[in-house]
Amino acid sequence: MALIECRELTKEYRRGENVIRPLQELDLEVEAGAFLALMGPSGSGKTTLLNLIAGIDQPTRGELIIDGEDVGKLSRSRLAAWRADYIGYVFQLYNLVPVLTAYENVELPLLLHPIKRRERHERVATALELVGLADRHDHYPRQLSGGQEQRVAIARAIVADPRIIVADEPTGDLDKPAAHAIMNLLTRLNQELGKTMIMVTHDAHTAEYAARTLHLDKGRLVESGAHIAAGAAMEAAS
Amino acid sequence: MIRFRMMPLVIRQVTRHRTRTLLTAGGVATSMFLFVAVQAMQNGVAMATETSAADTTLVVYREDRYCPFTSRLPQYYLRDILTIQGVESAVPMKVVVSNCRASLDVVTFRGVPSEEFSGDYAARMTLIDGDLQQWRRRSDAALVGETLAARRGLKIGDRFDAAGVITYVAAIISSHEPQDQNVAYVHLDFLQQTTDRKLGTVTQFNIKVQSPKYLDSVARAVDERFASAEYPTSTRPEKAFVAQAAADMIELIGFTRWLGWGCLAAVLALVGNAIVLGVQDRIREHAVLQTLGYNSFLIQRLIVTESLLLGLLGGVLGAGLAVGVLQWGQFALTADGVSIPFAAGWTLILFGVGLSVLLGVVAGLVPAWQAARRPITTCFRAV
C-alpha cells in the first residue's frame, strides 16, 4: 500500500472574479521510502501539491490519504498535530528563526512532544551531528553560510523523526558545491534512514538525485519518469 | 498559559529583541511609575479622609476658618468641652506650620499640654525610639512623627529648626493616623511663647469621645455651647476635618485620577504597538512554527505570553521604582496644617504589576488572534 495517495486532488481559490486552479484532479501514489522530485514551470502546481502533502494547505476537492488517513479532512488543530508527527519541511530560504541559535532552531519541533530535556538534548545533538554542524550549535543563523543554514533547517526537519520530508527548492538559493552537499545529505536521509522524500525543484540536475520525477503543467501531471538510481547523481556530481 | 518547556522560547524572544524590549519595557515602566505615584496619592487621600466606624476623634476649629494662622480659640474652652456628655478627653492644640501653602515638605508643629496629651490621645501612638519622660521633662522637646523624621533624617538628640521654632528630638513615634505621622508634637506653652508670645490661645481642640455613637451629638453640643461666644466653633470628625481643610488639594489629587487612566492607556498602547509590530515582523516565523506543527492556539498563547512578559517587566520596574522612591522620600502633601501622605507599599506594587500584566495580556490578544488565523501559505506569500 502506498504511503501517499492522491485521488482527483484539486485545489482552487478565488482571485477577484476568477477561479484559479493550481491543481486539477491529480492522481498520484508515492511508496514509503521513495525519493520523488516535482518539476514544472512556475504556476504548474508543484508547490501547491507539496504544500497539500505537507498539510499546510488543504485541498478543495479530492482525497489526500497519507498512511491511511485522509488529511484533507482533518481540522486545523488536528492537522497541526499530524504535521508535527509526519512532516519535516525544508524551505528554499531556510526559514530559521533569527533570534534562536542553531541548537534552539533544531529543538523547536521537539518542544511539541512530551520529551524529557535530556532526551531532547541528545536528539538535537544527533541531528546536528548528522548534518555536520555539531560544532556550530551555538551559532545564530546570521553567523552561518547559506549552506550551513540549510543544513540546520534539514536537522530541524528530521529531529522529530517524521516519516516524510518535503523540500521546496532546497538548493535554490545555494551555490553549486553547497547545493551538492545538501543533495547528498537529503539522499543519505532517504537511503540510510528510509525517509520518504518529496522535493520541488526547477533544476534538472538536482532532480537527478531523486529516484522518480513528476512533471506538472497547469495543475496536471504531464510526465512521470524514473531515474536509474539516486546514487548515480551523487557519483556523477562528485 | 503555555507549557513550561515553551517558556524559554518566549523568554528568548523577549531577551533577544533587546532594543524593542528595552523601549517597550521602559515606556511601560515610566507609565507605571506615574500610575503608582498617582495611586499612592489617591490612597493617601483615602487614608486621611475616609472615616471608619471605629473613629472617635473630633476636631474643634474656629467657625469659618480653614488655616491654622486664623483659627484662634481660647484655651479655657477646654473646661466647658470636658463637661459635655460623651467626651472622654480633650487636648487643646496649637498648630504652627513652616509653610501655609501646599507643599511636599511642610513641618507642622502641634503644641499640646503634656498632662492631657499623655493620656488617651497619646494612646494611638507607638514609641519607636527615644524617651517619653525626656519629652515631658524638657520644655523644647519634640515627639516627631515617623514620616517627618524619615523625610528630614532626624534622630534622637538632633535639634531642628522650622518656622522659627527650634526643638530637640526626644522621641520618634508612629501612628496609624496619617496626621500624627507627619508632625512634631511639642509643649503647648513652649510653642505659644516661641511663635506669637500669646499664652491661652490655641488653634483647635482634639476631642476623644467615649464611643463612635457620640461623635455627632458631641460635635453638635460643642458648637451649640459656643455658638453665641466671641469665638464660635465648628466641630467635625477628624477625617472630615482633614477633608474640609485640604479640600482644594484633594480636588486636585482627584483630578490626577485621569492622569492615572492615561498612564494605563499608554501601557496598553505601548505593549500593543510592540506586539503588533513584532507579529507583523514575524509573519514568516509564525508560519514556520505552524509548519512544524505548532497549532494556532499555541501560537496565540506564545504571543500573549510574550506580551504578558513585556507588561510584567515594565510593571515590576515602574511600580517597584515608584514605591521605592516614595518610601525613600516619605513624601506627604501638606496644606493648612493637614497632611495627605503618599501611601505606597507592597500592596500597591502588586496592584501595579498585576494591572500591567493584565494590560499586557489584553494588548497581545488581538495581534495574537490575527497572527493565528492567517493561513500558513498566505503568510509565506506575504513576505
Side-chain angles (χ1 to χ4, degrees), chain B residues 26-27 46 83 85 91-92 123 136 143 166 174 205 211 229-230 240 242 262 280 296 299-300 304 341 361 371 383:
Chain B
T83 62
Q85 194 193 354
V91 179
R136 285 200 189 93
L143 288 175
I166 302 169
S174 77
F205 292 90
S211 99
E230 190 181 351
V242 172
Q280 280 175 359
S296 311
I299 299 285
Q300 281 182 36
V304 170
V361 169
V383 284

Side-chain angles (χ1 to χ4, degrees), chain A:
Chain A
M1 188 181 155
L3 177 66
I4 302 168
E5 291 174 68
C6 305
R7 292 185 199 134
E8 297 183 349
L9 197 63
T10 302
K11 177 69 185 175
E12 288 177 1
Y13 59 88
R14 284 193 165 274
R15 188 172 289 165
E17 294 293 306
N18 302 324
V19 177
I20 314 284
R21 286 190 187 84
L23 212 59
Q24 299 185 52
E25 296 174 351
L26 184 129
D27 291 310
L28 174 68
E29 287 193 356
V30 182
E31 299 300 319
F35 191 158
L36 178 71
L38 298 174
M39 292 192 76
S42 295
S44 60
K46 53 190 188 304
T47 298
T48 303
L49 176 59
L50 192 79
N51 288 344
L52 290 174
I53 292 171
I56 64 171
D57 202 355
Q58 287 192 289
T60 312
R61 280 190 302 279
E63 288 180 337
L64 173 59
I65 296 164
I66 298 179
D67 201 19
E69 182 150 35
D70 190 348
V71 295
K73 291 192 169 53
L74 292 177
S75 66
R76 237 184 130 174
S77 59
R78 285 193 59 200
L79 194 57
W82 177 87
R83 278 196 302 272
D85 288 336
Y86 273 84
I87 301 293
Y89 204 120
V90 180
F91 301 89
Q92 179 183 355
L93 295 174
Y94 334 125
N95 281 333
L96 300 178
V97 179
V99 295
L100 301 182
T101 62
Y103 179 96
E104 291 158 355
N105 265 289
V106 176
E107 190 187 28
L108 282 173
L110 296 181
L111 295 176
L112 294 167
H113 302 276
I115 302 171
K116 288 206 172 94
R117 199 176 164 193
R118 191 192 179 102
E119 190 190 337
R120 215 161 59 220
H121 175 77
E122 281 169 9
R123 287 174 72 166
V124 173
T126 306
L128 280 171
E129 203 160 319
L130 195 70
V131 298
L133 285 176
D135 57 336
R136 299 293 181 101
H137 66 96
D138 57 349
H139 283 53
Y140 288 94
R142 64 176 180 276
Q143 298 168 316
L144 300 170
S145 68
Q148 287 169 332
E149 278 196 76
Q150 192 60 298
R151 280 195 274 159
V152 174
I154 291 170
R156 183 178 65 185
I158 60 171
V159 73
D161 197 21
R163 292 197 64 183
I164 304 165
I165 293 175
V166 296
D168 189 3
E169 308 248 19
T171 58
D173 204 48
L174 300 175
D175 58 27
K176 214 171 170 183
H180 173 60
I182 290 299
M183 287 317 301
N184 279 346
L185 183 57
L186 291 178
T187 308
R188 273 181 59 208
L189 293 176
N190 172 246
Q191 291 180 345
E192 293 172 20
L193 301 181
K195 301 290 174 199
T196 305
M197 197 79 65
I198 302 174
M199 170 181 73
V200 162
T201 182
H202 272 111
D203 180 22
H205 180 67
T206 302
E208 283 175 16
Y209 285 85
R212 182 181 167 201
T213 301
L214 296 180
H215 289 266
L216 282 96
D217 193 22
K218 294 177 183 162
R220 293 178 191 277
L221 202 57
V222 291
E223 188 189 333
S224 174
H227 296 286
I228 305 159
M234 289 173 71
E235 281 163 22
S238 56

Side-chain angles (χ1 to χ4, degrees), chain B residues 144-160:
Chain B
V144 180
E146 191 181 16
T147 305
L148 174 60
R151 195 172 71 239
R152 286 277 177 132
L154 298 174
K155 299 184 298 292
I156 303 300
D158 285 354
R159 297 182 74 81
F160 82 102

Side-chain angles (χ1 to χ4, degrees), chain B residues 275-326:
Chain B
I275 294 296
V276 165
L277 291 178
V279 164
Q280 280 175 359
D281 210 33
R282 303 201 317 249
I283 289 177
R284 182 179 282 268
E285 190 178 309
H286 291 137
V288 169
L289 290 179
Q290 292 195 64
T291 305
L292 297 179
Y294 287 59
N295 62 38
S296 311
F297 187 46
L298 178 55
I299 299 285
Q300 281 182 36
R301 283 180 294 161
L302 288 171
I303 293 170
V304 170
T305 307
E306 192 177 328
S307 179
L308 179 155
L309 278 185
L310 286 173
L312 177 69
L313 192 63
V316 168
L317 279 175
L321 195 65
V323 171
V325 167
L326 294 175

